[in-house]
PDB file of all heavy atoms in Angstrom:
ATOM      1  N   GLU K  25       0.837  -1.207   0.000  1.00 90.00           N
ATOM      2  CA  GLU K  25       0.000   0.000   0.000  1.00 90.00           C
ATOM      3  C   GLU K  25       0.873   1.259   0.000  1.00 90.00           C
ATOM      4  O   GLU K  25       0.591   2.219  -0.730  1.00 90.00           O
ATOM      5  CB  GLU K  25      -0.922   0.008   1.212  1.00 90.00           C
ATOM      6  CG  GLU K  25      -1.768   1.261   1.320  1.00 90.00           C
ATOM      7  CD  GLU K  25      -2.552   1.346   2.614  1.00 90.00           C
ATOM      8  OE1 GLU K  25      -2.538   0.387   3.412  1.00 90.00           O
ATOM      9  OE2 GLU K  25      -3.179   2.391   2.831  1.00 90.00           O
ATOM     10  N   GLN K  26       1.926   1.262   0.807  1.00 88.00           N
ATOM     11  CA  GLN K  26       2.813   2.421   0.871  1.00 88.00           C
ATOM     12  C   GLN K  26       3.535   2.628  -0.458  1.00 88.00           C
ATOM     13  O   GLN K  26       3.632   3.756  -0.949  1.00 88.00           O
ATOM     14  CB  GLN K  26       3.811   2.252   2.017  1.00 88.00           C
ATOM     15  CG  GLN K  26       3.164   2.328   3.378  1.00 88.00           C
ATOM     16  CD  GLN K  26       4.072   1.851   4.503  1.00 88.00           C
ATOM     17  OE1 GLN K  26       4.982   1.054   4.291  1.00 88.00           O
ATOM     18  NE2 GLN K  26       3.822   2.350   5.707  1.00 88.00           N
ATOM     19  N   VAL K  27       4.031   1.548  -1.043  1.00 89.00           N
ATOM     20  CA  VAL K  27       4.711   1.655  -2.340  1.00 89.00           C
ATOM     21  C   VAL K  27       3.729   2.142  -3.398  1.00 89.00           C
ATOM     22  O   VAL K  27       4.063   3.005  -4.220  1.00 89.00           O
ATOM     23  CB  VAL K  27       5.361   0.311  -2.742  1.00 89.00           C
ATOM     24  CG1 VAL K  27       5.900   0.382  -4.165  1.00 89.00           C
ATOM     25  CG2 VAL K  27       6.468  -0.069  -1.768  1.00 89.00           C
ATOM     26  N   GLY K  28       2.511   1.626  -3.389  1.00 92.00           N
ATOM     27  CA  GLY K  28       1.498   2.060  -4.342  1.00 92.00           C
ATOM     28  C   GLY K  28       1.219   3.546  -4.237  1.00 92.00           C
ATOM     29  O   GLY K  28       1.092   4.252  -5.250  1.00 92.00           O
ATOM     30  N   HIS K  29       1.134   4.055  -3.011  1.00 89.00           N
ATOM     31  CA  HIS K  29       0.904   5.484  -2.810  1.00 89.00           C
ATOM     32  C   HIS K  29       2.084   6.290  -3.343  1.00 89.00           C
ATOM     33  O   HIS K  29       1.894   7.315  -4.014  1.00 89.00           O
ATOM     34  CB  HIS K  29       0.698   5.788  -1.320  1.00 89.00           C
ATOM     35  CG  HIS K  29       0.662   7.248  -1.030  1.00 89.00           C
ATOM     36  ND1 HIS K  29      -0.444   8.029  -1.271  1.00 89.00           N
ATOM     37  CD2 HIS K  29       1.616   8.080  -0.561  1.00 89.00           C
ATOM     38  CE1 HIS K  29      -0.166   9.276  -0.949  1.00 89.00           C
ATOM     39  NE2 HIS K  29       1.077   9.328  -0.506  1.00 89.00           N
ATOM     40  N   ILE K  30       3.303   5.846  -3.061  1.00 88.00           N
ATOM     41  CA  ILE K  30       4.497   6.554  -3.532  1.00 88.00           C
ATOM     42  C   ILE K  30       4.548   6.554  -5.054  1.00 88.00           C
ATOM     43  O   ILE K  30       4.818   7.582  -5.677  1.00 88.00           O
ATOM     44  CB  ILE K  30       5.767   5.938  -2.913  1.00 88.00           C
ATOM     45  CG1 ILE K  30       5.816   6.270  -1.416  1.00 88.00           C
ATOM     46  CG2 ILE K  30       7.023   6.416  -3.630  1.00 88.00           C
ATOM     47  CD1 ILE K  30       6.885   5.531  -0.650  1.00 88.00           C
ATOM     48  N   VAL K  31       4.253   5.417  -5.669  1.00 92.00           N
ATOM     49  CA  VAL K  31       4.252   5.332  -7.132  1.00 92.00           C
ATOM     50  C   VAL K  31       3.214   6.289  -7.717  1.00 92.00           C
ATOM     51  O   VAL K  31       3.499   7.024  -8.669  1.00 92.00           O
ATOM     52  CB  VAL K  31       4.003   3.879  -7.598  1.00 92.00           C
ATOM     53  CG1 VAL K  31       3.693   3.818  -9.086  1.00 92.00           C
ATOM     54  CG2 VAL K  31       5.218   3.013  -7.275  1.00 92.00           C
ATOM     55  N   ALA K  32       2.019   6.321  -7.140  1.00 92.00           N
ATOM     56  CA  ALA K  32       0.969   7.215  -7.637  1.00 92.00           C
ATOM     57  C   ALA K  32       1.390   8.680  -7.502  1.00 92.00           C
ATOM     58  O   ALA K  32       1.216   9.478  -8.433  1.00 92.00           O
ATOM     59  CB  ALA K  32      -0.338   6.956  -6.894  1.00 92.00           C
ATOM     60  N   ALA K  33       1.956   9.044  -6.351  1.00 88.00           N
ATOM     61  CA  ALA K  33       2.374  10.431  -6.125  1.00 88.00           C
ATOM     62  C   ALA K  33       3.500  10.833  -7.079  1.00 88.00           C
ATOM     63  O   ALA K  33       3.490  11.934  -7.641  1.00 88.00           O
ATOM     64  CB  ALA K  33       2.808  10.622  -4.674  1.00 88.00           C
ATOM     65  N   LEU K  34       4.467   9.946  -7.285  1.00 88.00           N
ATOM     66  CA  LEU K  34       5.575  10.255  -8.190  1.00 88.00           C
ATOM     67  C   LEU K  34       5.117  10.297  -9.651  1.00 88.00           C
ATOM     68  O   LEU K  34       5.631  11.085 -10.444  1.00 88.00           O
ATOM     69  CB  LEU K  34       6.709   9.251  -8.012  1.00 88.00           C
ATOM     70  CG  LEU K  34       7.438   9.318  -6.672  1.00 88.00           C
ATOM     71  CD1 LEU K  34       8.472   8.204  -6.564  1.00 88.00           C
ATOM     72  CD2 LEU K  34       8.089  10.676  -6.467  1.00 88.00           C
ATOM     73  N   SER K  35       4.148   9.472  -9.998  1.00 92.00           N
ATOM     74  CA  SER K  35       3.597   9.496 -11.356  1.00 92.00           C
ATOM     75  C   SER K  35       3.002  10.856 -11.670  1.00 92.00           C
ATOM     76  O   SER K  35       3.214  11.409 -12.753  1.00 92.00           O
ATOM     77  CB  SER K  35       2.514   8.420 -11.522  1.00 92.00           C
ATOM     78  OG  SER K  35       3.055   7.146 -11.421  1.00 92.00           O
ATOM     79  N   ILE K  36       2.286  11.409 -10.701  1.00 91.00           N
ATOM     80  CA  ILE K  36       1.690  12.737 -10.881  1.00 91.00           C
ATOM     81  C   ILE K  36       2.775  13.810 -10.904  1.00 91.00           C
ATOM     82  O   ILE K  36       2.798  14.671 -11.784  1.00 91.00           O
ATOM     83  CB  ILE K  36       0.658  13.015  -9.772  1.00 91.00           C
ATOM     84  CG1 ILE K  36      -0.538  12.083  -9.937  1.00 91.00           C
ATOM     85  CG2 ILE K  36       0.223  14.480  -9.769  1.00 91.00           C
ATOM     86  CD1 ILE K  36      -1.475  12.051  -8.745  1.00 91.00           C
ATOM     87  N   ALA K  37       3.692  13.747  -9.945  1.00 86.00           N
ATOM     88  CA  ALA K  37       4.727  14.776  -9.829  1.00 86.00           C
ATOM     89  C   ALA K  37       5.626  14.856 -11.061  1.00 86.00           C
ATOM     90  O   ALA K  37       6.018  15.945 -11.472  1.00 86.00           O
ATOM     91  CB  ALA K  37       5.568  14.527  -8.580  1.00 86.00           C
ATOM     92  N   PHE K  38       5.942  13.700 -11.648  1.00 88.00           N
ATOM     93  CA  PHE K  38       6.860  13.676 -12.787  1.00 88.00           C
ATOM     94  C   PHE K  38       6.158  13.417 -14.111  1.00 88.00           C
ATOM     95  O   PHE K  38       6.815  13.199 -15.130  1.00 88.00           O
ATOM     96  CB  PHE K  38       7.965  12.641 -12.553  1.00 88.00           C
ATOM     97  CG  PHE K  38       8.881  13.022 -11.427  1.00 88.00           C
ATOM     98  CD1 PHE K  38       8.770  12.418 -10.189  1.00 88.00           C
ATOM     99  CD2 PHE K  38       9.829  14.012 -11.597  1.00 88.00           C
ATOM    100  CE1 PHE K  38       9.606  12.778  -9.138  1.00 88.00           C
ATOM    101  CE2 PHE K  38      10.671  14.382 -10.562  1.00 88.00           C
ATOM    102  CZ  PHE K  38      10.556  13.766  -9.321  1.00 88.00           C
ATOM    103  N   GLN K  39       4.835  13.420 -14.102  1.00 93.00           N
ATOM    104  CA  GLN K  39       4.032  13.178 -15.307  1.00 93.00           C
ATOM    105  C   GLN K  39       4.514  11.944 -16.053  1.00 93.00           C
ATOM    106  O   GLN K  39       4.784  11.972 -17.247  1.00 93.00           O
ATOM    107  CB  GLN K  39       4.052  14.417 -16.207  1.00 93.00           C
ATOM    108  CG  GLN K  39       3.480  15.637 -15.532  1.00 93.00           C
ATOM    109  CD  GLN K  39       3.551  16.880 -16.390  1.00 93.00           C
ATOM    110  OE1 GLN K  39       4.121  16.873 -17.463  1.00 93.00           O
ATOM    111  NE2 GLN K  39       2.963  17.955 -15.906  1.00 93.00           N
ATOM    112  N   ALA K  40       4.615  10.853 -15.312  1.00 94.00           N
ATOM    113  CA  ALA K  40       5.068   9.574 -15.858  1.00 94.00           C
ATOM    114  C   ALA K  40       4.025   8.511 -15.532  1.00 94.00           C
ATOM    115  O   ALA K  40       3.258   8.658 -14.585  1.00 94.00           O
ATOM    116  CB  ALA K  40       6.413   9.194 -15.249  1.00 94.00           C
ATOM    117  N   SER K  41       4.016   7.462 -16.306  1.00 96.00           N
ATOM    118  CA  SER K  41       3.082   6.374 -16.020  1.00 96.00           C
ATOM    119  C   SER K  41       3.558   5.618 -14.781  1.00 96.00           C
ATOM    120  O   SER K  41       4.758   5.603 -14.471  1.00 96.00           O
ATOM    121  CB  SER K  41       2.996   5.415 -17.204  1.00 96.00           C
ATOM    122  OG  SER K  41       4.157   4.608 -17.273  1.00 96.00           O
ATOM    123  N   PRO K  42       2.629   4.978 -14.067  1.00 96.00           N
ATOM    124  CA  PRO K  42       3.045   4.169 -12.910  1.00 96.00           C
ATOM    125  C   PRO K  42       4.077   3.104 -13.282  1.00 96.00           C
ATOM    126  O   PRO K  42       4.995   2.836 -12.498  1.00 96.00           O
ATOM    127  CB  PRO K  42       1.738   3.552 -12.424  1.00 96.00           C
ATOM    128  CG  PRO K  42       0.689   4.517 -12.861  1.00 96.00           C
ATOM    129  CD  PRO K  42       1.178   5.054 -14.181  1.00 96.00           C
ATOM    130  N   VAL K  43       3.959   2.540 -14.466  1.00 96.00           N
ATOM    131  CA  VAL K  43       4.917   1.518 -14.894  1.00 96.00           C
ATOM    132  C   VAL K  43       6.312   2.122 -15.012  1.00 96.00           C
ATOM    133  O   VAL K  43       7.297   1.519 -14.578  1.00 96.00           O
ATOM    134  CB  VAL K  43       4.477   0.864 -16.224  1.00 96.00           C
ATOM    135  CG1 VAL K  43       5.562  -0.030 -16.790  1.00 96.00           C
ATOM    136  CG2 VAL K  43       3.188   0.083 -16.025  1.00 96.00           C
ATOM    137  N   GLU K  44       6.411   3.331 -15.590  1.00 95.00           N
ATOM    138  CA  GLU K  44       7.709   3.999 -15.706  1.00 95.00           C
ATOM    139  C   GLU K  44       8.320   4.257 -14.333  1.00 95.00           C
ATOM    140  O   GLU K  44       9.525   4.082 -14.130  1.00 95.00           O
ATOM    141  CB  GLU K  44       7.572   5.323 -16.458  1.00 95.00           C
ATOM    142  CG  GLU K  44       7.255   5.178 -17.929  1.00 95.00           C
ATOM    143  CD  GLU K  44       6.962   6.514 -18.571  1.00 95.00           C
ATOM    144  OE1 GLU K  44       6.005   7.194 -18.133  1.00 95.00           O
ATOM    145  OE2 GLU K  44       7.711   6.881 -19.508  1.00 95.00           O
ATOM    146  N   VAL K  45       7.487   4.676 -13.385  1.00 93.00           N
ATOM    147  CA  VAL K  45       7.976   4.953 -12.030  1.00 93.00           C
ATOM    148  C   VAL K  45       8.468   3.670 -11.376  1.00 93.00           C
ATOM    149  O   VAL K  45       9.548   3.647 -10.765  1.00 93.00           O
ATOM    150  CB  VAL K  45       6.877   5.619 -11.178  1.00 93.00           C
ATOM    151  CG1 VAL K  45       7.305   5.736  -9.725  1.00 93.00           C
ATOM    152  CG2 VAL K  45       6.521   6.987 -11.742  1.00 93.00           C
ATOM    153  N   ILE K  46       7.727   2.595 -11.505  1.00 93.00           N
ATOM    154  CA  ILE K  46       8.131   1.311 -10.920  1.00 93.00           C
ATOM    155  C   ILE K  46       9.452   0.839 -11.520  1.00 93.00           C
ATOM    156  O   ILE K  46      10.349   0.390 -10.800  1.00 93.00           O
ATOM    157  CB  ILE K  46       7.030   0.253 -11.093  1.00 93.00           C
ATOM    158  CG1 ILE K  46       5.824   0.619 -10.219  1.00 93.00           C
ATOM    159  CG2 ILE K  46       7.537  -1.145 -10.754  1.00 93.00           C
ATOM    160  CD1 ILE K  46       4.573  -0.182 -10.507  1.00 93.00           C
ATOM    161  N   VAL K  47       9.591   0.952 -12.838  1.00 93.00           N
ATOM    162  CA  VAL K  47      10.840   0.548 -13.497  1.00 93.00           C
ATOM    163  C   VAL K  47      12.007   1.369 -12.959  1.00 93.00           C
ATOM    164  O   VAL K  47      13.080   0.829 -12.654  1.00 93.00           O
ATOM    165  CB  VAL K  47      10.726   0.673 -15.029  1.00 93.00           C
ATOM    166  CG1 VAL K  47      12.086   0.555 -15.710  1.00 93.00           C
ATOM    167  CG2 VAL K  47       9.768  -0.377 -15.572  1.00 93.00           C
ATOM    168  N   GLN K  48      11.825   2.694 -12.800  1.00 91.00           N
ATOM    169  CA  GLN K  48      12.874   3.544 -12.246  1.00 91.00           C
ATOM    170  C   GLN K  48      13.243   3.121 -10.823  1.00 91.00           C
ATOM    171  O   GLN K  48      14.420   3.042 -10.471  1.00 91.00           O
ATOM    172  CB  GLN K  48      12.433   5.013 -12.240  1.00 91.00           C
ATOM    173  CG  GLN K  48      12.592   5.711 -13.560  1.00 91.00           C
ATOM    174  CD  GLN K  48      14.045   5.864 -13.935  1.00 91.00           C
ATOM    175  OE1 GLN K  48      14.511   5.240 -14.879  1.00 91.00           O
ATOM    176  NE2 GLN K  48      14.783   6.681 -13.222  1.00 91.00           N
ATOM    177  N   ILE K  49      12.239   2.866 -10.002  1.00 90.00           N
ATOM    178  CA  ILE K  49      12.495   2.456  -8.617  1.00 90.00           C
ATOM    179  C   ILE K  49      13.269   1.143  -8.582  1.00 90.00           C
ATOM    180  O   ILE K  49      14.211   0.991  -7.809  1.00 90.00           O
ATOM    181  CB  ILE K  49      11.182   2.352  -7.821  1.00 90.00           C
ATOM    182  CG1 ILE K  49      10.600   3.758  -7.583  1.00 90.00           C
ATOM    183  CG2 ILE K  49      11.398   1.629  -6.491  1.00 90.00           C
ATOM    184  CD1 ILE K  49       9.204   3.758  -6.986  1.00 90.00           C
ATOM    185  N   LEU K  50      12.887   0.207  -9.425  1.00 88.00           N
ATOM    186  CA  LEU K  50      13.547  -1.104  -9.424  1.00 88.00           C
ATOM    187  C   LEU K  50      14.954  -1.066 -10.017  1.00 88.00           C
ATOM    188  O   LEU K  50      15.811  -1.856  -9.625  1.00 88.00           O
ATOM    189  CB  LEU K  50      12.695  -2.124 -10.170  1.00 88.00           C
ATOM    190  CG  LEU K  50      11.364  -2.482  -9.504  1.00 88.00           C
ATOM    191  CD1 LEU K  50      10.563  -3.425 -10.389  1.00 88.00           C
ATOM    192  CD2 LEU K  50      11.576  -3.078  -8.129  1.00 88.00           C
ATOM    193  N   THR K  51      15.219  -0.150 -10.959  1.00 88.00           N
ATOM    194  CA  THR K  51      16.534  -0.117 -11.595  1.00 88.00           C
ATOM    195  C   THR K  51      17.480   0.892 -10.956  1.00 88.00           C
ATOM    196  O   THR K  51      18.668   0.618 -10.804  1.00 88.00           O
ATOM    197  CB  THR K  51      16.422   0.182 -13.107  1.00 88.00           C
ATOM    198  OG1 THR K  51      15.728   1.409 -13.294  1.00 88.00           O
ATOM    199  CG2 THR K  51      15.707  -0.931 -13.834  1.00 88.00           C
ATOM    200  N   VAL K  52      16.972   2.054 -10.578  1.00 86.00           N
ATOM    201  CA  VAL K  52      17.817   3.124 -10.042  1.00 86.00           C
ATOM    202  C   VAL K  52      17.687   3.229  -8.532  1.00 86.00           C
ATOM    203  O   VAL K  52      18.628   3.569  -7.829  1.00 86.00           O
ATOM    204  CB  VAL K  52      17.452   4.479 -10.698  1.00 86.00           C
ATOM    205  CG1 VAL K  52      18.268   5.617 -10.128  1.00 86.00           C
ATOM    206  CG2 VAL K  52      17.611   4.402 -12.201  1.00 86.00           C
ATOM    207  N   GLY K  53      16.504   2.955  -8.019  1.00 87.00           N
ATOM    208  CA  GLY K  53      16.221   3.129  -6.601  1.00 87.00           C
ATOM    209  C   GLY K  53      15.331   4.340  -6.398  1.00 87.00           C
ATOM    210  O   GLY K  53      14.918   5.002  -7.344  1.00 87.00           O
TER     211      GLY K  53
END
């Protein structure tokens, strides 16, 4: 739930899809 909220917030902040945000988190941190 916490990760989902962070992904949603970052998707809005950076105008990126949730999938793009998840890929960034998994590859870059």
Side-chain angles (χ1 to χ4, degrees):
E25 177 187 354
Q26 291 167 335
V27 172
H29 171 78
I30 290 170
V31 167
L34 292 176
S35 294
I36 293 167
F38 293 103
Q39 299 177 354
S41 75
V43 171
E44 291 173 300
V45 172
I46 291 168
V47 168
Q48 279 293 112
I49 290 171
L50 293 176
T51 57
V52 178

